[in-house]
Amino acid sequence: MVIPLITPATEGALSVPYRAPLDVPYKLFEQVAWLLHEHRQARHTCRRKLGCFKQALLTLVHLRKNETFSHLGAGFGISQATAWRYVDETLDVLADWAPGLHAAFTGLGAGDHVLVDGTLTPIDRIAADEPYYSIKHRKHGMNVQVIARPDGTPLWFSRATPGRTHGLTAARAHGIVQACLTRQILVLADRAYQGAGATFRTPYYHHREQPEHYQQFNRDHTRLRAPGERAFAQLKSWRLPRRARCSTRRISTIVHTLLTCSCSG
């Protein structure tokens, strides 16, 4: 038996298939499939290359593992263009189910408090794309504001804005400051939001030079804000937001899709 020699010229053309598990709840997978089924029924497009369950699996694999469309197409027996269309369609369907800012505050009122913070979704950009460069993180990305419950459960993800956008500027632009003031909801945030006023509470600057009760306030403030990192952990558990290769115009849709997945899962 003659074994062919793999040379650098032909090595890239070889493809070795393998099977791997997807660590998402089956309840989420089933719910995405049924939403796609309703979407197809409404548009009368039931005959497709992939069924609803396979399309749901295709999208969740893309979100969870950040696979390229060429790899997804090869794994599901469809073309790269078809894989892109299926994923894009599913993202739009799921993003429509993400709660808006005012819907996220349902059940909250005076006396309640939430956690507000921002995160950066890294993107592929060159040095000339200055609006997308975050000086704080020293990389290009998109700014996403997150509102979470005191236990870290995400309530709302904002639309993505260029990474250079300051946290306070983004909070005002998205209407977070005004919405919390209207409902008299206390907001715990870091120093980036100092000057927001309204119901925002931020740590004191130069607390080591301040009286002891200021230092104690900062310690308590940090302890209460700590669970907010869980909301970021849920967002970044999906690999796609860790390094987005898509157009910046689609990142908001992806973020809202992940909010729907977080609420459903």
Side-chain angles (χ1 to χ4, degrees):
M1 175 175 154
V2 180
I3 301 177
L5 177 65
I6 300 177
T7 63
T10 61
E11 187 175 0
L14 297 179
S15 177
V16 181
Y18 72 99
R19 304 181 70 175
L22 184 65
D23 56 337
V24 299
Y26 186 82
K27 176 184 175 182
L28 171 60
F29 164 68
E30 197 173 41
Q31 185 168 354
V32 174
W34 280 111
L35 288 176
L36 287 172
H37 175 72
E38 293 178 0
H39 176 72
R40 292 188 183 186
Q41 291 288 343
R43 297 186 60 184
H44 304 288
T45 56
C46 298
R47 298 185 63 181
R48 295 285 190 88
K49 184 76 173 180
L50 296 182
C52 296
F53 281 85
K54 284 290 185 69
Q55 184 176 346
L57 182 60
L58 173 79
T59 305
L60 292 176
V61 168
H62 178 61
L63 292 172
R64 196 64 152 186
K65 298 181 177 294
N66 200 11
E67 297 278 5
T68 62
F69 291 115
S70 59
H71 289 170
L72 287 174
F76 284 82
I78 56 178
S79 68
Q80 178 179 342
T82 302
W84 181 86
R85 284 200 310 271
Y86 281 178
V87 170
D88 205 51
E89 178 185 39
T90 309
L91 293 180
D92 287 334
V93 171
L94 294 178
D96 288 341
W97 283 85
L101 178 58
H102 294 285
F105 286 145
T106 301
L108 299 178
D112 295 318
H113 78 274
V114 296
L115 311 175
V116 172
D117 206 346
T119 186
L120 188 79
T121 299
I123 59 175
D124 291 328
R125 283 296 182 273
I126 60 176
D129 295 319
E130 184 179 352
Y132 298 99
Y133 185 77
S134 171
I135 298 178
K136 175 182 177 181
H137 299 88
R138 297 183 179 180
K139 62 177 68 173
H140 292 82
M142 299 293 286
N143 182 300
V144 177
Q145 297 295 302
V146 178
I147 300 179
R149 292 183 181 275
D151 62 354
T153 303
L155 289 173
W156 181 76
F157 295 156
S158 73
R159 68 182 186 275
T161 55
R164 193 175 62 176
T165 308
H166 192 273
L168 178 56
T169 302
R172 286 172 172 163
H174 296 314
I176 299 174
V177 177
Q178 185 59 44
C180 292
L181 176 61
T182 301
R183 292 177 175 265
Q184 286 298 300
I185 298 175
L186 180 65
V187 180
L188 301 183
D190 61 21
R191 293 173 181 172
Y193 299 86
Q194 191 169 40
T199 57
F200 274 65
R201 298 294 180 269
T202 59
Y204 289 103
Y205 269 114
H206 308 296
H207 62 280
R208 298 185 185 279
E209 304 172 6
Q210 302 291 345
E212 174 61 27
H213 66 276
Y214 281 16
Q215 300 181 34
Q216 184 61 44
F217 174 87
N218 280 9
R219 287 192 290 267
D220 294 340
H221 191 277
T222 301
R223 175 176 54 81
L224 292 174
R225 280 197 305 112
E229 297 298 326
R230 297 174 186 170
F232 293 146
Q234 291 193 39
L235 177 63
K236 295 301 178 68
S237 66
W238 304 86
R239 291 188 179 179
L240 189 58
R242 299 182 195 176
R243 185 64 179 272
R245 296 187 294 263
C246 62
S247 168
T248 55
R249 291 176 295 180
R250 297 298 293 167
I251 293 180
S252 295
T253 302
I254 292 171
V255 169
H256 292 157
T257 296
L258 296 180
L259 176 59
T260 301
C261 292
S262 300
C263 296
S264 302

